[in-house]
Amino acid sequence: MKTPQSFSPVVCVVGFHHARGPEIESWFGTEDGVDPAADNDWSYLPFMALSDGAHASTEDFSYFTLRRQATSSSPPTSVFGISCTRQMDANDLFTRPADVTRSTVQKAVVAIADSPQSFAHLREKLSMVTGAWFAQRDFTDVDILKKFQESLVLGLQDREDDRDQYLGLSLRELIHEFKYQTLVLFKCCLLQPKGLEDCADPEFDSYEKNLVAPASLRTSERNSLLSYMGLPLQLFGKGALFGPYTPLQQLDVLADYGTKSYIVGSTNSLLLQQKDRYSDILINLDETTISITSSSLRSALTLSAADRRWIDFLSQTVADTWDEANPSRPRTMGYMGSEEFIRLQFEEYILALLSSIKYHIYLTSSPIPSPLPTIEGDPISDFGTDWIHAWRQTSSFTLFNTHTDSHLFDIVEPRHPTAGNLSFEDIQRRLALQIQTLHLDDRLATSKEVLNRHLASGQKKVSTAFTNLWADIEALREAQQRKRLEAAAARSELSPTGSFAQLPPHTASDNAHPTPPASVTSARRGVSGLDTTAAQASVAAAGQKAGAYLSSWGSWAAEKKKGWGRMGSSNDLRGAAAGREKEKEKEAERCWDAGSSPTKGRKEAIGGDGIGRLDA
């Protein structure tokens, strides 16, 4: 049942006015004439409900915290809100109000309660109610919103059954997205003096004022054990602020001197441009990146080998059981990798941490400490010495240390769940995670297939090119052999007996010996004999070419002879040259009369068909 100090859930509608901007239009669950926004100074509520950029999506949700003022029966406290924003074309409305001048109508249905534990279920209900209200296409009909508020009062009165309170808060998806940085975020939250009960205003500190150290322990009951170990830790205390969505209008609260720390969310890029001013650590959900701007915080959040081994084990377990169709549960439908498995792993980690730090205090503060026989050395080194030092400076640690027993290590063993130095298995596990993260297996498989295909194609092309080249070489060699055979046959037919003196020395020597050259011999072995008809035709053609050449050469010499005659003795040098030319002509005539061609020796010397350039 509802206690006198509890807050009854309320519902309101926030609309966007073209002239005044976001504003509250109506309340449900309040008395007539009562405006909770005015009574509690919720001036930022319309801006929290209609977040920046909500118009860019069909449906958008926003979470925020509000400060509830003190009443005659209750002190000031925090309340929690969730809004569902939708929009539709103004022309689709059955009844269009006069103040609707824009082409689209944008409204948010907001639910406010004193506890966020049931917000996972509340979000699903809020989405269906808002969608049904917009589907009516008549915003004056609000019966569905009234019934929704009444159901919240009935549903939130009994909170004993919390079996599904984590619905929508998937640790599997968080670890799958951020991998080892999930533990960085967890330890970062512990370093900040922040808490969930007193989070709407930095002045709130009721958790510390009302906290009482447990006087007994029942080890058979989990809740009794957690309470005796000092859990839950206070994360948001005096001077801390928690705002899941914080509009720009609330930035002055962040910059206030009394605000020592905060965890806030925003969709406005202006905060990204001023991240050095407003943040020590920035988590970009769009790019899944974490940027630590504070050097001291970066050093404290460096994970030890044992920490990295522990979170890598969780990451690997989630990766092995990941199901794209249903990320919230393992593909194997088993316990390993489930939400309950991950939560128990974090519970074991935090209990070991608290026990280890109590053991460290005992070892360093006792005059004659008696170390545990099963624990070697100081276990806090496995949790990170710099982080332990930074956490001991926070109000969260002070509250834990003063309200818990000094010998917690007698209840829970003070040992890191994965204690030990860096090993080869740790390196293998990290490499396996990196390969899975970068999808190297798929990329390498595709690249290997493409490479094999190109290698096969290239091998075929190279083989074809070598085959064609070898065929061309063989064809050229056969053609040269045929030419040598034809030239040898022509020389044997044209050379008369006793003309050895007119041939070059090597030709005369070759003709003097009956053994032909090796190439000619091998060629002759390949054929049965020479074709004499072809040889005669070749000789005749060569003779005709030689005669035409000599005729043209004789005509040229005659013309030169006439020119030299006209010149006379005009120049001794020219006369001498003319004399030499005449002697050459006479020598040529004598050779011709003797029955031998002046080019015969040259033809045989060059080993061709006798047609070539004759030097004067």
Side-chain angles (χ1 to χ4, degrees), residues 12 37 325 446 477 556:
C12 71
T446 304
R477 189 178 64 175
W556 175 82

Side-chain angles (χ1 to χ4, degrees), residues 13 107 109 129-137 139 141 144-145:
V13 175
K107 294 181 181 295
V109 179
V129 169
T130 306
W133 187 47
F134 269 73
Q136 295 178 163
R137 296 194 289 176
F139 294 130
D141 186 358
I144 190 174
L145 300 182

Side-chain angles (χ1 to χ4, degrees), residues 587-613:
E587 182 178 0
E589 291 176 358
R590 286 196 301 271
C591 291
W592 189 267
D593 293 340
S596 62
S597 173
T599 61
K600 180 178 180 181
R602 189 175 301 276
K603 286 193 300 179
E604 294 177 353
I606 63 175
D609 56 0
I611 305 301
R613 179 178 179 273

Side-chain angles (χ1 to χ4, degrees), residues 7 10-12 24 27-31 33-42 45 67 69 112:
F7 175 79
V10 294
V11 174
C12 71
I24 300 176
W27 284 97
F28 304 94
T30 61
E31 298 179 1
V34 175
D35 185 359
D39 295 342
N40 295 281
D41 192 21
W42 292 345
L45 174 57
R67 174 192 172 102
Q69 301 289 357
I112 302 175

Side-chain angles (χ1 to χ4, degrees), residues 132-193:
W133 187 47
F134 269 73
Q136 295 178 163
R137 296 194 289 176
D138 183 6
F139 294 130
T140 60
D141 186 358
V142 295
D143 288 341
I144 190 174
L145 300 182
K146 293 179 180 179
K147 294 179 179 179
F148 172 59
Q149 189 275 331
E150 294 172 358
S151 68
L152 292 182
V153 176
L154 297 175
L156 296 179
Q157 284 180 354
D158 187 6
R159 296 171 181 166
E160 294 180 359
D161 187 3
D162 61 349
R163 289 175 298 177
D164 298 326
Q165 66 175 329
Y166 301 122
L167 179 65
L169 304 176
S170 177
L171 287 180
R172 282 177 53 81
E173 296 183 35
L174 178 64
I175 294 178
H176 184 264
E177 290 294 332
F178 287 96
K179 303 297 187 300
Y180 74 93
Q181 291 181 326
T182 305
L183 184 57
V184 174
L185 293 176
F186 176 73
K187 300 182 75 171
C188 178
C189 291
L190 294 178
L191 290 182
Q192 303 298 320

Side-chain angles (χ1 to χ4, degrees), residues 480-494 520 538 606-609:
Q480 290 177 346
Q481 287 180 353
R482 285 196 300 269
K483 289 181 65 174
R484 286 196 297 269
L485 290 175
E486 292 175 358
R491 286 197 301 270
S492 63
E493 292 292 335
L494 294 177
V520 177
S538 177
I606 63 175
D609 56 0

